[in-house]
């Protein structure tokens, strides 16, 4: 993933990949590539959620 994408955009891309898989729209080569993309998107989403969680905890501790 060359450019930084927003969490919502990553989730939307994941939903699209899942929909394509469920509808058998991908051949084996596309499936492999989409799974790699999905793995990167999941990693990005987890990192963003972890960062946000840490920021929220820090804010709440300051009160």
């Amino acid at each position: 993933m060359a450019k930084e994408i927003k969490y919502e955009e990553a989730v939307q891309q994941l939903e699209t990949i899942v929909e394509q898989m469920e509808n058998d729209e991908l051949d084996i080569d596309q499936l492999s590539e989409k799974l790699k993309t999905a793995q990167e998107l999941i990693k990005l989403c987890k990192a963003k959620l972890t960062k946000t969680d840490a920021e929220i905890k820090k804010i709440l501790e300051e009160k």
Side-chain angles (χ1 to χ4, degrees):
M1 313 239 123
K3 73 171 194 144
E4 182 72 19
I5 63 172
K6 294 183 179 223
Y7 178 84
E8 293 81 10
E9 185 180 344
V11 170
Q12 180 60 45
Q13 288 182 30
L14 283 167
E15 289 173 350
T16 299
I17 292 169
V18 169
E19 186 176 307
Q20 290 173 332
M21 291 171 65
E22 289 177 342
N23 293 330
D24 293 324
E25 296 175 17
L26 305 171
D27 64 32
I28 194 71
D29 295 320
Q30 291 173 318
L31 180 61
S32 176
E33 198 58 40
K34 292 290 185 174
L35 286 174
K36 289 177 188 175
T37 301
Q39 185 178 26
E40 291 178 28
L41 291 167
I42 290 168
K43 186 188 294 185
L44 180 135
C45 288
K46 287 175 81 173
K48 286 184 181 282
L49 288 171
T50 300
K51 180 181 176 189
T52 301
D53 184 54
E55 290 172 354
I56 290 170
K57 285 179 180 176
K58 183 178 178 183
I59 291 169
L60 292 175
E61 288 174 0
E62 291 174 358
K63 288 189 170 187

